[in-house]
Amino acid sequence: MLRTTLAGLRAHRLRLLLTSLAIMLGVGFIAGTFVLNDTVQAGFAQRVTADAGKVGVAVLPADSDQTVPEEVLERVRALPGVTEAQGLIRASAPVLGRNGKVVGNLPTTGLSVVRGPLDRTDVVSGTGPGTDDGAAVLDENTARTQSFRLGDTITVLDHDRRPHQFRLVGLIDTGVDQMLAYTGAVGFTPAVAQRMTGAKGYAEIDVAGTVTKQAVAAAVGGSYTVRTGAELADDLAAAAGVETQMFTLGLLLFGVVAMMVAALVIYNTFNILVAQRTREMALLRCIGATRGQVFGSIVLESAVVGLLASALGLLIGYGLAALTLTVLAAFDAPLPTDAAVSLTPATIAIGLAVGLVVTVCAALLPARSATRVPPIAALRSQPEEQTFRAGLVRAGFAALFLLAGLGTTGVGTFALEPGEAALFVVMAGGALTFLAVLVLGPVLVGPLSALVGWIPRQLFGVPGRLAVDNSGRNPRRAATTTVALTIGVTLMTLITVVTASTRLTMTAKLDEQFPVDYLLASQERDSVIPRSVAEELRGRPELASVAQIREVKTTVDGKRVDAGTYSGGMEPQVSAGSMRNFGPGQVALDDVTAERLGAQVGDTVSMRTEHAGTVPLKVVAVLDSTESTLTPVTVAEQPFESYFGAVPDSRVMVTIADGVTPDRARAVVDAAAAPYPNVQVTSSTEVRGQFDETLDMLLMIITGLLGLAILISLLGIANTLSLSVHERTRESALLRALGLTRPQLRRMLSVEALILGLIGALVGVVLGVVFGWAAMRAMLTQAVFSAPVAQIALFVVLSGLAGVLAAVLPARRAARASIVGSLATG
């Protein structure tokens, strides 16, 4: 039996290739994900080890918001065995772009660049600042986006927001530090860094020498965290690894989807192969093969296919990972892409195991069917066509899964509060409902093929009618073929619906929370905008309204909060109480702060002020935090002045007058903010544009990843048609003998593939739209549902066209077959 099985595999190389393609792609994706993850982690480890290896012991503040004072550094330097100790400064130092405004959404991080063996700054171009107090280095990304080059003069704001100019002498790589990759970094000599940032202490103290961790810990006391260089490297690697874990997990989820689709394709392929080899199995039984040997031969064949396909999949995965790293490097992604790409033993083992297990498991049911072939079947001239009957067991399981799925989805959609738990419940409901569709698939194929095939039946004449009949002749096979495509289209439709709905919902929320045309604010939203800016804007005829918000940090009932006031005719969104006649001795809280303080309308809270001491305030209103633009604690304008003095504005919100063009209004606003480099002007259109760009990029990435599942399912359709053509060789020849031309035969098979593709797409669209709606209800309160009809229709059309494309080679093969030779087979 072993020799017979291996001989059969050698004799049917094309069949072996078609069977292997799906599993190759699935394993390739999973293996590529592991290779990519291993490479990125190795790159992180290399960089972290190279940086932290210079440090013997590191002293860190116990809280990230705190610093290590100078006196601790002096105590460490006095320890025996310390050859060098350096304090590292790390605080805000906003860099100005070429437009004279601060760069980015957050202030650039100012760093001290130390000299000697503890210098951990990775200068990739030029030099470090050395001892030159007029020199600075900048991270590569900021330099590139702002078109700064070595030798240019850059302007940096100090902690009092005064501008200082420096000569750019070097470019640095921020390495594994994800925060620096986000904010950007500018480096100075230690003395200049302290002067620019106004830092009162150090973010970290690095120590070199023979001193032990225990000695340093004893010297600095228990208020600080002490790490060895190796421990520091582990902490940095772990922090960097967190950023990649979700990335890897997301890729693996798409890999699991691909493997699920591949398993369905493999199952369908082996089902057809067993049906085609009925006489072969029967002859083996006639000459003495037992049922166990027949079962073993099918399982062995699947194991050989699984191993070969998995081995090739590993190579494909290696290539995918290398290609991905090349693309990431080209786009300057904040990931280490310079580590050597390699297949680790663990990745090889996982890839081979996944491919083998999925292939063998998918072949078990067809192998079991092969053992039921009676020896008498060897005497039949044609294999008996399988019939399908929907039994009570199938109906019972379908009803059970459908009721459980719809019930679970209903609980997640209507009974639970929107959030993570509700979304997981809806996902579970979707999985159960999909199982019901899987069980009901053969029952649905007949009616759906008649529905989808109505137009082709009218358009394509006899070939169209034959194609519609053929698509429903073997419901079990057709259902399994279309389910693979259904998975991909369901996910594509769901993601499209969720993206479109999220875009519409967020736009509506932005209109509520950002009901102005322009917002003036600093990067840190602190009160630094001179009041003269709003006064100047208020006098311009191009603008309809100018609202101001001021805020300070203070304590209310012993808890640290943001308190502020407003002016300019704003209408706060009140959810309880009233702000009519809002004045002295009164306060409005947002709902989050009210819950935190345990206060409600009518209660009295105590607020600490600079000029009036601690004052009692009566809560007269509670604001909706999701819609309010005010500070968490709001008092009237005149009392605020008496409590905290003449505080500058933190935000100025501007609306355009009717009939004024946005360009003209923007010029007026920009001119007013121009003298203040740290005041940024943002328009509501820009905010929405950035949000839309993010969603579009996300949709494009997910569509590309799900495209793999679509590709595998289309290979399944091509594989099914190819094997079906072989199975129906005599039938096709008989049709040719009765007058069906070659083009008509090709048309018949193409229309059959079109119908199969459309059935899978339509079921996927219905499931995707329904569960896209449920997912939105589970994720967001007041979600606005949107189903982009044009995109969804495009999915259906492309699925049908892809099905036709998948049928090209099988149809061509069938049309070129000899009529006489085909009638003589079997």
Side-chain angles (χ1 to χ4, degrees):
M1 286 301 297
L2 176 62
R3 289 195 298 272
T4 302
T5 302
L6 295 178
L9 287 170
R10 287 195 300 270
H12 301 92
R13 293 186 183 89
L14 180 60
R15 184 177 73 195
L16 174 65
L17 176 62
L18 290 173
T19 308
S20 304
L21 274 176
I23 209 71
M24 281 167 53
L25 289 173
V27 170
F29 194 89
I30 288 180
T33 300
F34 278 112
V35 171
L36 185 63
N37 183 60
D38 291 344
T39 304
V40 170
Q41 294 293 352
F44 276 134
Q46 287 175 10
R47 290 194 180 187
V48 170
T49 304
D51 286 343
K54 300 176 180 179
V55 180
V57 179
V59 180
L60 306 166
D63 193 326
S64 59
D65 293 333
Q66 298 173 347
T67 58
V68 183
E70 176 73 26
E71 62 185 36
V72 173
L73 175 59
E74 296 303 325
R75 290 207 301 267
V76 171
R77 282 177 172 165
L79 289 173
V82 173
T83 57
E84 184 166 358
Q86 294 282 1
L88 305 183
I89 292 173
R90 180 168 172 163
S92 297
V95 173
L96 303 189
R98 291 194 176 276
N99 62 354
K101 291 293 184 180
V102 288
V103 174
N105 294 321
L106 288 175
T108 310
T109 300
L111 307 173
S112 59
V113 180
V114 301
R115 302 172 64 202
L118 288 174
D119 180 8
R120 292 161 55 194
T121 307
D122 184 10
V123 179
V124 294
S125 181
T127 63
T131 59
D132 186 354
D133 287 349
V137 295
L138 199 60
D139 71 284
E140 292 178 291
N141 185 56
T142 301
R144 185 182 65 256
T145 56
Q146 297 299 318
S147 301
F148 287 134
R149 294 179 175 80
L150 295 180
D152 286 352
T153 297
I154 63 173
T155 303
V156 186
L157 301 181
D158 64 16
H159 59 99
D160 289 325
R161 301 302 184 259
R162 293 173 302 199
H164 299 263
Q165 293 187 331
F166 297 90
R167 188 176 71 263
L168 184 61
V169 296
L171 302 180
I172 62 174
D173 183 354
T174 55
V176 300
D177 194 314
Q178 301 298 301
M179 181 54 71
L180 291 185
Y182 184 63
T183 65
V186 57
F188 316 96
T189 61
V192 173
Q194 197 283 326
R195 190 168 67 246
M196 290 294 296
T197 63
K200 303 301 182 184
Y202 300 109
E204 178 181 329
I205 292 177
D206 291 344
V207 184
T210 59
V211 67
T212 63
K213 172 184 174 181
Q214 291 75 15
V216 173
V220 301
S223 301
Y224 305 99
T225 302
V226 180
R227 293 278 187 268
T228 64
E231 290 171 342
L232 179 64
D234 291 340
D235 289 346
L236 291 172
V242 169
E243 300 293 328
T244 62
Q245 284 174 3
M246 293 302 296
F247 173 69
T248 303
L249 182 60
L251 287 179
L252 285 176
L253 285 176
F254 288 105
V256 169
V257 171
M259 290 306 299
M260 188 189 306
V261 174
L264 287 168
V265 171
I266 294 291
Y267 165 76
N268 208 32
T269 301
F270 274 98
N271 243 347
I272 299 171
L273 291 177
V274 168
Q276 289 178 355
R277 293 158 64 187
T278 299
R279 295 185 69 195
E280 178 186 325
M281 301 296 176
L283 282 171
L284 288 173
R285 294 289 309 282
C286 283
I287 60 175
T290 64
R291 287 188 173 187
Q293 287 177 315
V294 171
F295 180 84
S297 70
I298 300 294
V299 173
L300 176 62
E301 184 173 335
S302 70
V304 172
V305 170
L307 280 175
L308 289 175
S310 300
L312 291 172
L314 288 172
L315 295 178
I316 292 174
Y318 181 90
L320 282 173
L323 177 63
T324 303
L325 288 170
T326 302
V327 172
L328 289 173
F331 284 95
D332 292 316
L335 294 172
T337 56
D338 49 358
V341 183
S342 62
L343 277 171
T344 64
T347 300
I348 294 173
I350 291 172
L352 292 177
V354 168
L356 181 61
V357 169
V358 168
T359 309
V360 171
C361 288
L364 287 179
L365 285 178
R368 184 167 171 266
S369 300
T371 63
R372 297 178 177 177
V373 176
I376 194 68
L379 303 177
R380 296 178 185 144
S381 60
Q382 270 286 88
E384 183 180 353
E385 188 167 314
Q386 295 181 347
T387 58
F388 171 77
R389 293 194 182 108
L392 289 176
V393 175
R394 179 181 293 271
F397 272 109
L400 180 65
F401 283 131
L402 189 60
L403 288 174
L406 294 178
T408 305
T409 304
V411 170
T413 306
F414 299 107
L416 298 178
E417 288 294 323
E420 192 173 308
L423 184 60
F424 279 121
V425 170
V426 167
M427 289 170 62
L432 290 169
T433 306
F434 191 83
L435 286 176
V437 173
L438 191 62
V439 174
L440 282 173
V443 180
L444 298 174
V445 162
L448 285 176
S449 63
L451 174 66
V452 172
W454 187 82
I455 294 178
R457 186 188 286 270
Q458 308 303 319
L459 290 179
F460 297 107
V462 173
R465 291 195 292 274
L466 288 171
V468 173
D469 292 339
N470 283 336
S471 64
R473 252 170 64 183
N474 194 328
R476 183 179 285 120
R477 178 197 302 169
T480 313
T481 302
T482 56
V483 160
L485 182 61
T486 298
I487 292 175
V489 174
T490 297
L491 293 174
M492 292 272 282
T493 305
L494 189 148
I495 295 299
T496 302
V497 168
V498 168
T499 303
S501 300
T502 302
R503 193 191 311 274
L504 206 59
T505 303
M506 289 299 122
T507 298
K509 287 186 178 293
L510 280 172
D511 287 339
E512 294 173 356
Q513 298 178 20
F514 199 62
V516 293
D517 295 306
Y518 299 104
L519 171 69
L520 284 72
S522 68
Q523 289 174 317
E524 297 175 309
R525 296 294 192 267
D526 47 358
S527 296
V528 295
I529 307 174
R531 296 188 184 189
S532 57
V533 174
E535 293 304 321
E536 179 184 344
L537 291 173
R538 193 168 280 120
R540 297 301 301 248
E542 295 90 350
L543 308 177
S545 67
V546 177
Q548 299 161 262
I549 291 179
R550 305 177 194 112
E551 55 189 284
V552 295
K553 297 280 187 184
T554 187
T555 56
V556 174
D557 284 355
K559 293 183 171 59
R560 195 73 173 165
V561 296
D562 289 325
T565 190
Y566 66 97
S567 62
M570 295 180 62
E571 295 184 5
Q573 298 290 327
V574 178
S575 58
S578 172
M579 294 185 69
R580 185 175 299 172
N581 300 320
F582 193 49
Q586 298 179 335
V587 65
L589 308 175
D590 70 13
D591 47 15
V592 175
T593 305
E595 182 178 355
R596 181 182 165 207
L597 298 175
Q600 55 187 353
V601 174
D603 291 348
T604 299
V605 296
S606 298
M607 182 171 71
R608 185 184 298 277
T609 70
E610 290 184 17
H611 302 301
T614 299
V615 296
L617 299 172
K618 182 180 179 181
V619 180
V620 297
V622 174
L623 311 178
D624 186 345
S625 59
T626 62
E627 297 181 2
S628 174
T629 58
L630 300 181
T631 51
V633 176
T634 302
V635 296
E637 185 177 12
Q638 290 303 322
F640 183 85
E641 296 277 336
S642 64
Y643 297 154
F644 300 101
V647 177
D649 295 329
S650 62
R651 283 171 286 165
V652 176
M653 295 178 283
V654 180
T655 54
I656 304 174
D658 292 339
V660 177
T661 63
D663 290 343
R664 174 61 184 151
R666 180 61 187 257
V668 170
V669 176
D670 282 342
Y676 311 100
N678 58 323
V679 177
Q680 295 179 317
V681 179
T682 308
S683 73
S684 56
T685 304
E686 289 173 357
V687 173
R688 293 188 188 93
Q690 292 171 1
F691 184 75
D692 285 344
E693 284 178 9
T694 302
L695 277 181
D696 289 339
M697 183 178 296
L698 188 64
L699 179 62
M700 182 178 66
I701 293 171
I702 292 177
T703 300
L705 293 172
L706 287 178
L708 180 67
I710 301 286
L711 176 61
I712 294 174
S713 62
L714 293 175
L715 285 173
I717 291 178
N719 202 10
T720 301
L721 281 173
S722 180
L723 295 171
S724 180
V725 163
H726 175 72
E727 188 178 72
R728 291 185 287 177
T729 300
R730 294 188 68 191
E731 178 186 314
S732 299
L734 184 59
L735 289 172
R736 290 285 312 286
L738 292 174
L740 199 70
T741 64
R742 286 184 175 180
Q744 285 179 317
L745 180 61
R746 286 197 297 267
R747 196 177 307 144
M748 180 190 77
L749 292 171
S750 297
V751 172
E752 184 178 343
L754 170 66
I755 292 170
L756 290 178
L758 289 177
I759 289 174
L762 286 176
V763 175
V765 163
V766 171
L767 290 175
V769 170
V770 170
F771 285 97
W773 169 81
M776 286 304 302
R777 287 289 301 265
M779 283 193 299
L780 297 171
T781 55
Q782 300 177 339
V784 182
F785 176 73
S786 174
V789 177
Q791 279 182 277
I792 293 173
L794 183 63
F795 291 156
V796 176
V797 171
L798 290 178
S799 297
L801 292 177
V804 172
L805 186 63
V808 169
L809 290 179
R812 187 180 177 191
R813 179 185 171 196
R816 296 174 69 178
S818 165
I819 297 177
V820 176
S822 298
L823 287 172
T825 59

